Amino acid sequence: MGVLCFSAVMNLVFACLKKWELSVLWGTLLGGGWAVLNFFLLGLTVQGMVADPDEKRGKMKLQLSYSLRMLLTIGVVVLAIKLPGVNWIAAVIPLFFTRLTILAMQMLGMYKPDDKKSENKEGGDGTV
């Protein structure tokens, strides 16, 4: 939902600047689609890593997944630049929308990172 909302705002900005055309829509769909798929693949990888009893193999899977997803991200950017009917700027900007969505959720109090790990490392619940 966050990528969709940020994509709509980006398209409105293009429209306000009188730079909106169909290539902006195609760029938005390419970049936003990859951003969502990339985040989904990250989630699948983390679930697989957690389910794997071999920690070392799980970390290797995570590293391999990261490398492949970054290569595919580079491929999406190159594709956006090479395709004539795609605005490459409108394709690259949505690649940041998942991070912006998480940041917005944190700022609105909808998502709070789990601080249990840092509490356990420090030796308890923080009471003295």
Side-chain angles (χ1 to χ4, degrees):
M1 288 303 294
V3 172
L4 184 63
C5 291
F6 279 115
S7 294
V9 169
M10 180 185 73
N11 276 270
L12 284 172
V13 169
F14 270 94
C16 288
L17 295 173
K18 298 184 183 192
K19 299 290 182 179
W20 195 93
E21 52 190 34
L22 197 55
S23 66
V24 173
L25 176 64
W26 295 124
T28 303
L29 292 173
L30 178 64
W34 173 247
V36 170
L37 181 60
N38 185 19
F39 195 73
F40 176 75
L41 293 173
L42 171 63
L44 287 179
T45 302
V46 170
Q47 286 178 347
M49 185 184 116
V50 170
D52 194 343
D54 185 3
E55 186 178 329
K56 187 176 181 180
R57 186 171 58 189
K59 285 183 181 180
M60 286 177 53
K61 284 181 184 179
L62 188 63
Q63 290 173 344
L64 176 63
S65 169
Y66 176 80
S67 298
L68 290 174
R69 288 183 295 105
M70 288 305 107
L71 282 173
L72 287 171
T73 301
I74 292 169
V76 166
V77 171
V78 169
L79 187 64
I81 292 169
K82 294 289 185 183
L83 288 174
V86 175
N87 184 310
W88 69 271
I89 296 171
V92 170
I93 293 173
L95 298 177
F96 299 99
F97 287 168
T98 50
R99 289 184 186 249
L100 288 175
T101 300
I102 293 169
L103 178 64
M105 289 174 67
Q106 287 175 338
M107 290 173 61
L108 295 172
M110 298 168 64
Y111 169 77
K112 293 182 182 177
D114 188 15
D115 290 333
K116 290 180 182 176
K117 288 182 181 178
S118 63
E119 288 175 2
N120 289 337
K121 287 181 182 176
E122 294 172 4
D125 61 359
T127 58
V128 180

